Amino acid sequence: MKAKTMTCNLHKQEAINRTHAIDFFSNYATTLLSSGATSLRTETNIGRMAEFYNIKVIITIMPKHVQIMLTMGDESVVRVVSRTMGINFYSITELSRLSWRVVEERLDVATANKILEEIKSKKRCHIAIVTIMAGLANASFCRLFGGDYWAMFFVLIATISGFYTKHELVNKIGIDARIATIFAASISSVLSCGASMYGLGNTPEVSLATSVLYLVPGIPYINAFSDLINGHHICALSWLISALETTIC
């Protein structure tokens, strides 16, 4: 656990409603962290906006909760909100841009919060497109590791099948993501063996080895390392355990 204090040096700033400010900062922090951003990025972005608004913010980031204390003048308000673990690169990018827009365009809290809600309401890319792109990406990995075209073909089919299966099990049926990962990995591994079963191609072992690469939790590993070197040891451990669980499954 690490508490980060961010202060300001602006000489003039309009009075800001304390309730609106804490609503915005708590909403911003949880949305950014729940999208897969690192703790350092969250602290940096909030610090940038807090400095502009001439307020003091202390943020404590935990694996499932975020505590924000906002101080304006002689009064403080504390908000504790829950967070989730997920990946949304669009939200991370747009929320980071918003922190710069607040400063450069001198946005008030109400306008910034409105933009935040628009970012949150943005529909994610359709699952069919994501599934196909994941299949093509994994097939490309197969080629990169020396697989021939038959191996790439079976990896493509295996990835699409496993990726879609995991999505349906988690989002439609509600099965635990770790169990869904086992099912997806099993399906992809079996389908990738088609090249060997039918004697197609010369690199069936590459097909098998790369068929489950789409399940590798890269972001959790990266975030674990980032949080570790920046002193967020509890969050780092949480990310690392989550990543190891997925890897084992």
Side-chain angles (χ1 to χ4, degrees):
M1 178 177 66
K2 179 182 178 183
K4 182 73 173 183
T5 304
M6 291 149 284
T7 58
C8 57
N9 296 307
L10 291 185
H11 298 291
K12 290 184 179 181
Q13 192 59 248
E14 295 181 356
I16 301 174
N17 183 286
R18 189 163 51 252
T19 302
H20 292 169
I22 192 66
D23 287 343
F24 170 69
F25 279 110
S26 59
N27 191 10
Y28 182 94
T30 52
T31 303
L32 187 58
L33 288 166
S34 297
S35 298
T38 62
S39 300
L40 177 62
R41 179 189 288 268
T42 304
E43 291 176 342
T44 301
N45 290 356
I46 289 181
R48 183 181 299 121
M49 294 185 292
E51 181 177 356
F52 173 76
Y53 288 132
N54 196 21
I55 60 179
K56 179 181 179 180
V57 175
I58 298 178
I59 176 172
T60 303
I61 302 174
M62 298 293 287
K64 290 190 176 183
H65 297 86
V66 180
Q67 175 181 293
I68 295 181
M69 184 175 74
L70 184 150
T71 303
M72 300 173 65
D74 297 328
E75 298 184 3
S76 300
V77 59
V78 178
R79 177 76 57 82
V80 179
V81 287
S82 60
R83 54 172 288 201
T84 58
M85 285 189 178
I87 306 297
N88 189 328
F89 292 120
Y90 170 81
S91 293
I92 295 175
T93 301
E94 292 303 313
L95 289 174
S96 295
R97 288 175 178 170
L98 174 58
S99 70
W100 282 107
R101 289 184 62 186
V102 166
V103 178
E104 296 171 353
E105 301 177 20
R106 305 187 67 81
L107 303 178
D108 56 33
V109 173
T111 302
N113 196 52
K114 181 180 179 181
I115 296 174
L116 170 58
E117 292 299 330
E118 292 175 353
I119 294 173
K120 290 175 62 177
S121 64
K122 179 72 174 181
K123 291 184 178 180
R124 305 191 68 167
C125 190
H126 195 278
I127 182 60
I129 298 177
V130 178
T131 302
I132 293 173
M133 296 304 295
L136 292 174
N138 227 26
S140 299
F141 273 120
C142 178
R143 182 63 174 173
L144 182 65
F145 294 136
D148 55 29
Y149 290 110
W150 276 114
M152 291 176 63
F153 172 76
F154 280 100
V155 167
L156 175 65
I157 300 302
T159 300
I160 289 176
S161 301
F163 190 95
Y164 184 75
T165 297
K166 182 181 178 182
H167 176 270
E168 292 297 297
L169 289 176
V170 174
N171 295 282
K172 296 295 180 64
I173 302 178
I175 291 180
D176 185 271
R178 290 162 293 190
I179 298 177
T181 298
I182 295 175
F183 277 105
S186 300
I187 291 173
S188 295
S189 299
V190 170
L191 292 177
S192 68
C193 293
S196 177
M197 291 174 60
Y198 297 106
L200 301 173
N202 300 313
T203 57
E205 71 285 350
V206 178
S207 175
L208 176 62
T210 57
S211 64
V212 294
L213 288 182
Y214 69 95
L215 293 169
V216 175
I219 298 301
Y221 278 122
I222 293 173
N223 284 7
F225 180 75
S226 175
D227 284 347
L228 179 64
I229 63 176
N230 286 292
H232 292 276
H233 297 138
I234 295 179
C235 290
L237 184 60
S238 176
W239 278 114
L240 181 59
I241 292 175
S242 176
L244 290 174
E245 285 178 340
T246 302
T247 302
I248 293 171
C249 290

